[in-house]
Amino acid sequence: MILGIGTDLCNIDRIAGVLERFGDRFRNRVFTEDELARAARRANEAATLAKRWAAKEACSKALGTGLAMGIAWRDMAVSNLGSGQPQMHLSGWAAERMAAMTPPGHSAVVHVTLTDDHPWAQAFVVIAAVPLAAAS
């Protein structure tokens, strides 16, 4: 069963401007070390970070809170499987919120997809509850 859906569209040039203006202050406030390391290896750091920004916004919407209710940016992190498929990891208040949303006897699964086509980066997040017997 679907517990939440979120989407976000982010302007890559806007993120590039924020990176120019605030540099590491912005990077360290919003992104995890792993996210920053991945972005540093990419040809277009701003596009990589814009997709992750969009994923965090989309995830906060799927959690039903937005970013105004206590979720920290770094409570949501995007990594990639070896195949390139993105994964969302929740910690802190975001993980607590997801646990509170999850019905008894279920496990929550976060699905995320990212795309970019300059100047836009986009993310969709779906949080689903899977019966515990089916989760294993």
mmCIF file of all heavy atoms in Angstrom, residues 3 8 13 18 24 28 30 34 39 43 54 63 68 72-73 79 81 88 90 107-109 115 118 125 136:
data_model
loop_
_atom_site.group_PDB
_atom_site.id
_atom_site.type_symbol
_atom_site.label_atom_id
_atom_site.label_comp_id
_atom_site.label_asym_id
_atom_site.label_seq_id
_atom_site.Cartn_x
_atom_site.Cartn_y
_atom_site.Cartn_z
ATOM 1 N N LEU A 3 2.004 4.776 1.113
ATOM 2 C CA LEU A 3 1.890 5.638 2.290
ATOM 3 C C LEU A 3 2.078 7.104 1.935
ATOM 4 O O LEU A 3 1.539 7.983 2.598
ATOM 5 C CB LEU A 3 2.936 5.244 3.338
ATOM 6 C CG LEU A 3 2.862 3.826 3.884
ATOM 7 C CD1 LEU A 3 4.003 3.577 4.855
ATOM 8 C CD2 LEU A 3 1.514 3.585 4.547
ATOM 9 N N ASP A 8 9.533 16.663 -6.920
ATOM 10 C CA ASP A 8 10.117 17.995 -6.912
ATOM 11 C C ASP A 8 10.865 18.222 -8.213
ATOM 12 O O ASP A 8 11.432 17.294 -8.788
ATOM 13 C CB ASP A 8 11.067 18.186 -5.726
ATOM 14 C CG ASP A 8 11.422 19.659 -5.542
ATOM 15 O OD1 ASP A 8 10.511 20.441 -5.212
ATOM 16 O OD2 ASP A 8 12.584 20.018 -5.743
ATOM 17 N N ASP A 13 20.764 25.411 -12.590
ATOM 18 C CA ASP A 13 21.501 26.681 -12.565
ATOM 19 C C ASP A 13 21.332 27.391 -11.220
ATOM 20 O O ASP A 13 22.251 28.057 -10.744
ATOM 21 C CB ASP A 13 21.058 27.588 -13.706
ATOM 22 C CG ASP A 13 21.432 27.021 -15.071
ATOM 23 O OD1 ASP A 13 22.427 26.254 -15.153
ATOM 24 O OD2 ASP A 13 20.733 27.340 -16.052
ATOM 25 N N VAL A 18 23.907 28.857 -5.986
ATOM 26 C CA VAL A 18 24.009 28.721 -4.532
ATOM 27 C C VAL A 18 25.380 28.141 -4.168
ATOM 28 O O VAL A 18 26.002 28.573 -3.188
ATOM 29 C CB VAL A 18 22.864 27.844 -3.981
ATOM 30 C CG1 VAL A 18 23.067 27.528 -2.502
ATOM 31 C CG2 VAL A 18 21.519 28.530 -4.198
ATOM 32 N N ASP A 24 30.941 25.508 0.584
ATOM 33 C CA ASP A 24 30.885 24.394 1.530
ATOM 34 C C ASP A 24 29.841 24.598 2.620
ATOM 35 O O ASP A 24 29.331 23.624 3.174
ATOM 36 C CB ASP A 24 32.260 24.148 2.156
ATOM 37 C CG ASP A 24 33.222 23.479 1.181
ATOM 38 O OD1 ASP A 24 32.751 22.919 0.164
ATOM 39 O OD2 ASP A 24 34.436 23.520 1.439
ATOM 40 N N ASN A 28 27.601 21.358 3.129
ATOM 41 C CA ASN A 28 27.617 20.628 4.398
ATOM 42 C C ASN A 28 26.310 20.734 5.176
ATOM 43 O O ASN A 28 26.037 19.882 6.025
ATOM 44 C CB ASN A 28 28.789 21.105 5.263
ATOM 45 C CG ASN A 28 30.118 20.773 4.613
ATOM 46 O OD1 ASN A 28 30.272 19.762 3.939
ATOM 47 N ND2 ASN A 28 31.092 21.652 4.788
ATOM 48 N N VAL A 30 23.300 20.643 3.671
ATOM 49 C CA VAL A 30 22.251 19.911 2.958
ATOM 50 C C VAL A 30 22.630 18.464 2.636
ATOM 51 O O VAL A 30 21.781 17.572 2.714
ATOM 52 C CB VAL A 30 21.880 20.659 1.651
ATOM 53 C CG1 VAL A 30 20.873 19.873 0.830
ATOM 54 C CG2 VAL A 30 21.360 22.058 1.972
ATOM 55 N N ASP A 34 28.836 11.178 1.745
ATOM 56 C CA ASP A 34 28.766 10.279 0.593
ATOM 57 C C ASP A 34 28.169 10.976 -0.629
ATOM 58 O O ASP A 34 28.645 10.789 -1.755
ATOM 59 C CB ASP A 34 27.943 9.027 0.924
ATOM 60 C CG ASP A 34 28.664 8.098 1.887
ATOM 61 O OD1 ASP A 34 29.900 8.210 2.050
ATOM 62 O OD2 ASP A 34 27.978 7.245 2.486
ATOM 63 N N ALA A 39 29.171 13.585 -5.937
ATOM 64 C CA ALA A 39 29.049 14.783 -6.769
ATOM 65 C C ALA A 39 30.413 15.288 -7.214
ATOM 66 O O ALA A 39 30.569 15.763 -8.347
ATOM 67 C CB ALA A 39 28.292 15.870 -6.009
ATOM 68 N N ALA A 43 31.088 15.034 -13.674
ATOM 69 C CA ALA A 43 31.452 16.154 -14.545
ATOM 70 C C ALA A 43 30.670 17.412 -14.175
ATOM 71 O O ALA A 43 31.183 18.520 -14.282
ATOM 72 C CB ALA A 43 31.202 15.790 -16.002
ATOM 73 N N ALA A 54 16.333 17.690 -5.128
ATOM 74 C CA ALA A 54 14.964 17.369 -5.533
ATOM 75 C C ALA A 54 14.472 16.110 -4.829
ATOM 76 O O ALA A 54 13.313 16.043 -4.407
ATOM 77 C CB ALA A 54 14.887 17.211 -7.054
ATOM 78 N N LEU A 63 6.686 12.060 2.992
ATOM 79 C CA LEU A 63 6.531 11.851 4.429
ATOM 80 C C LEU A 63 5.368 12.671 4.995
ATOM 81 O O LEU A 63 4.977 12.489 6.141
ATOM 82 C CB LEU A 63 7.827 12.212 5.161
ATOM 83 C CG LEU A 63 8.986 11.241 4.951
ATOM 84 C CD1 LEU A 63 10.286 11.847 5.465
ATOM 85 C CD2 LEU A 63 8.710 9.895 5.610
ATOM 86 N N ALA A 68 9.358 21.796 6.788
ATOM 87 C CA ALA A 68 9.061 22.746 7.853
ATOM 88 C C ALA A 68 8.765 22.086 9.195
ATOM 89 O O ALA A 68 8.622 22.771 10.181
ATOM 90 C CB ALA A 68 7.877 23.611 7.441
ATOM 91 N N ALA A 72 15.565 17.313 8.986
ATOM 92 C CA ALA A 72 16.800 17.965 8.545
ATOM 93 C C ALA A 72 17.168 17.430 7.165
ATOM 94 O O ALA A 72 16.891 16.274 6.834
ATOM 95 C CB ALA A 72 17.925 17.680 9.541
ATOM 96 N N TRP A 73 17.804 18.284 6.371
ATOM 97 C CA TRP A 73 18.215 17.879 5.019
ATOM 98 C C TRP A 73 19.031 16.592 5.060
ATOM 99 O O TRP A 73 18.865 15.704 4.232
ATOM 100 C CB TRP A 73 19.053 18.980 4.380
ATOM 101 C CG TRP A 73 18.286 20.181 3.966
ATOM 102 C CD1 TRP A 73 18.239 21.375 4.609
ATOM 103 C CD2 TRP A 73 17.459 20.320 2.812
ATOM 104 N NE1 TRP A 73 17.432 22.248 3.919
ATOM 105 C CE2 TRP A 73 16.945 21.625 2.809
ATOM 106 C CE3 TRP A 73 17.111 19.453 1.770
ATOM 107 C CZ2 TRP A 73 16.099 22.097 1.815
ATOM 108 C CZ3 TRP A 73 16.274 19.916 0.772
ATOM 109 C CH2 TRP A 73 15.781 21.225 0.807
ATOM 110 N N SER A 79 21.918 7.437 -2.260
ATOM 111 C CA SER A 79 23.097 6.705 -2.738
ATOM 112 C C SER A 79 22.668 5.966 -4.003
ATOM 113 O O SER A 79 21.517 6.065 -4.422
ATOM 114 C CB SER A 79 23.617 5.735 -1.675
ATOM 115 O OG SER A 79 22.690 4.690 -1.482
ATOM 116 N N LEU A 81 22.984 2.118 -6.153
ATOM 117 C CA LEU A 81 23.441 0.740 -6.274
ATOM 118 C C LEU A 81 24.503 0.675 -7.365
ATOM 119 O O LEU A 81 24.659 1.626 -8.149
ATOM 120 C CB LEU A 81 22.262 -0.173 -6.632
ATOM 121 C CG LEU A 81 21.136 -0.269 -5.604
ATOM 122 C CD1 LEU A 81 19.979 -1.091 -6.182
ATOM 123 C CD2 LEU A 81 21.647 -0.876 -4.314
ATOM 124 N N MET A 88 17.081 5.821 -1.387
ATOM 125 C CA MET A 88 16.931 6.854 -0.361
ATOM 126 C C MET A 88 17.112 6.204 1.003
ATOM 127 O O MET A 88 16.524 5.153 1.281
ATOM 128 C CB MET A 88 15.537 7.486 -0.454
ATOM 129 C CG MET A 88 15.255 8.548 0.577
ATOM 130 S SD MET A 88 16.236 10.044 0.400
ATOM 131 C CE MET A 88 15.479 10.789 -1.033
ATOM 132 N N LEU A 90 16.917 7.015 5.150
ATOM 133 C CA LEU A 90 16.383 7.950 6.125
ATOM 134 C C LEU A 90 17.010 7.710 7.485
ATOM 135 O O LEU A 90 17.253 6.566 7.878
ATOM 136 C CB LEU A 90 14.865 7.807 6.226
ATOM 137 C CG LEU A 90 14.079 7.977 4.924
ATOM 138 C CD1 LEU A 90 12.584 7.876 5.195
ATOM 139 C CD2 LEU A 90 14.410 9.287 4.249
ATOM 140 N N SER A 107 6.515 -3.214 6.739
ATOM 141 C CA SER A 107 7.807 -2.555 6.635
ATOM 142 C C SER A 107 7.692 -1.499 5.542
ATOM 143 O O SER A 107 7.058 -1.743 4.513
ATOM 144 C CB SER A 107 8.882 -3.584 6.265
ATOM 145 O OG SER A 107 10.114 -2.962 6.066
ATOM 146 N N ALA A 108 8.283 -0.339 5.775
ATOM 147 C CA ALA A 108 8.210 0.726 4.770
ATOM 148 C C ALA A 108 9.388 0.613 3.809
ATOM 149 O O ALA A 108 10.510 0.318 4.208
ATOM 150 C CB ALA A 108 8.214 2.091 5.440
ATOM 151 N N VAL A 109 9.107 0.851 2.546
ATOM 152 C CA VAL A 109 10.113 0.838 1.486
ATOM 153 C C VAL A 109 10.022 2.174 0.762
ATOM 154 O O VAL A 109 8.927 2.619 0.398
ATOM 155 C CB VAL A 109 9.860 -0.324 0.492
ATOM 156 C CG1 VAL A 109 10.885 -0.309 -0.624
ATOM 157 C CG2 VAL A 109 9.847 -1.654 1.212
ATOM 158 N N THR A 115 16.037 12.254 -12.445
ATOM 159 C CA THR A 115 16.371 12.536 -13.834
ATOM 160 C C THR A 115 16.811 13.991 -13.944
ATOM 161 O O THR A 115 16.507 14.804 -13.076
ATOM 162 C CB THR A 115 15.170 12.265 -14.779
ATOM 163 O OG1 THR A 115 15.621 12.315 -16.133
ATOM 164 C CG2 THR A 115 14.040 13.257 -14.567
ATOM 165 N N HIS A 118 19.173 19.463 -18.515
ATOM 166 C CA HIS A 118 19.525 20.838 -18.198
ATOM 167 C C HIS A 118 18.541 21.820 -18.808
ATOM 168 O O HIS A 118 18.221 21.693 -19.982
ATOM 169 C CB HIS A 118 20.947 21.142 -18.688
ATOM 170 C CG HIS A 118 21.464 22.430 -18.166
ATOM 171 N ND1 HIS A 118 21.857 22.594 -16.867
ATOM 172 C CD2 HIS A 118 21.599 23.634 -18.746
ATOM 173 C CE1 HIS A 118 22.239 23.834 -16.679
ATOM 174 N NE2 HIS A 118 22.097 24.492 -17.812
ATOM 175 N N VAL A 125 9.379 10.316 -5.357
ATOM 176 C CA VAL A 125 9.550 9.393 -4.236
ATOM 177 C C VAL A 125 8.191 8.789 -3.914
ATOM 178 O O VAL A 125 7.192 9.505 -3.824
ATOM 179 C CB VAL A 125 10.117 10.114 -2.994
ATOM 180 C CG1 VAL A 125 10.079 9.208 -1.768
ATOM 181 C CG2 VAL A 125 11.540 10.580 -3.252
ATOM 182 N N SER A 136 10.581 -10.082 3.539
ATOM 183 C CA SER A 136 11.799 -10.887 3.674
ATOM 184 C C SER A 136 12.104 -11.739 2.488
ATOM 185 O O SER A 136 11.794 -11.601 1.424
ATOM 186 C CB SER A 136 11.700 -11.785 4.889
ATOM 187 O OG SER A 136 10.481 -12.483 4.920
#
